[in-house]
Amino acid sequence: MRAFGPGSVSSLLKLALDVVRAALIAIIALTLIAAVAGAFIGADPDLLGPAAARRLRADGLAGAGAAILPGTAAAFGLLTLAVIERLRRIFATLIAGDPFHPDNVRRLRAVGLLLAAVELGRVPAATLIGLFAPRAAPGLSAVNPTAWFAVLVVFVLAEVFREGARLRREAELTI
Amino acid sequence: MAISIRIDPLLHARRMSLAELSDRVGIPASDLDLLRRGGAHAIRFATLDALCTALRCQPGDILAHDPGPAAGEAPGQPG
């Protein structure tokens, strides 16, 4: 399989990143709209009619819970979008034939920190949701070993890229 | 670094410009200028070969070792 150009692995990965980015932007926009709507509906559930209001109250989503759930989802979506943006920039350097650009070390470290932030953010998110919508998302605070392993892998890759960037600089200065 | 590149005296002795040397060895003048100014980290054998051919000299005419005052105190140095 070709490394670059149409039908190559990199072109498929670029397409996947573009699709995920577009989907994330749409999801973030929807969750932000839902958070704003949730703030109004949570304050006055009867806006939706008596039956829907009863169901909201039964699910524990009356009050701040109706806004906090989509708001939390939007926050996680924004963090994931930041990861995708950095991956796209790293990919652009690969397409340009310069994957060991020094900026990629910084980008990979940022990806690692963002992934760690997503995982660490689950604790306050679970606390908030547990306070305002206890039946909405059980098990959110559970530690995910796979995600932490991914964080570790990204930091190891960042160090590999740092050495790659150093070798690239050496090659540039070898006449 | 204690290694220095002595292209300028060779160019002067042969009445050759850097651009002309660049044409002869097929290396960009900017790279040769970097080499001349001591900004390069390493030199390939192929480059050295091309320079020696173009300047009709030996590698020792291009490279020189100028040890500084602390060079003799370097760890692992025999002596």
Side-chain angles (χ1 to χ4, degrees), chain B residues 6 9 31-32 41 58 74:
Chain B
R6 293 178 174 169
D31 284 357
L32 287 180
H41 280 197
Q58 292 297 310

Side-chain angles (χ1 to χ4, degrees), chain A residues 64-149:
Chain A
I68 280 174
L69 266 182
T72 309
F76 279 108
L78 283 169
L79 283 173
T80 312
L81 184 64
V83 170
I84 295 289
E85 286 299 332
R86 274 150 189 84
L87 285 179
R88 289 179 80 236
R89 282 180 210 152
I90 290 172
F91 216 79
T93 62
L94 172 68
I95 300 286
D98 189 14
F100 291 111
H101 194 283
D103 285 351
N104 283 350
V105 180
R106 187 177 45 79
R107 286 173 187 142
L108 270 175
R109 283 181 185 154
V111 167
L113 288 173
L114 284 164
L115 289 177
V118 168
E119 279 309 297
L120 288 174
R122 286 155 57 104
V123 177
T127 308
L128 267 179
I129 291 170
L131 278 175
F132 294 103
R135 274 175 282 173
L140 190 67
S141 65
V143 174
N144 183 358
T146 311
W148 283 110
F149 183 68

Side-chain angles (χ1 to χ4, degrees), chain A residues 16-28 81 84-85 88:
Chain A
L17 283 174
D18 288 345
V19 169
V20 169
R21 180 175 177 266
L24 262 176
I25 289 172
I27 289 168
I28 290 167
L81 184 64
I84 295 289
E85 286 299 332
R88 289 179 80 236

Side-chain angles (χ1 to χ4, degrees), chain A residues 169-175, chain B residues 34 40-44 47:
Chain A
R169 179 78 181 141
E170 284 289 316
E172 274 178 358
L173 292 174
T174 298
I175 310 295
Chain B
L34 187 74
H41 280 197
I43 182 167
R44 292 188 183 90
T47 304

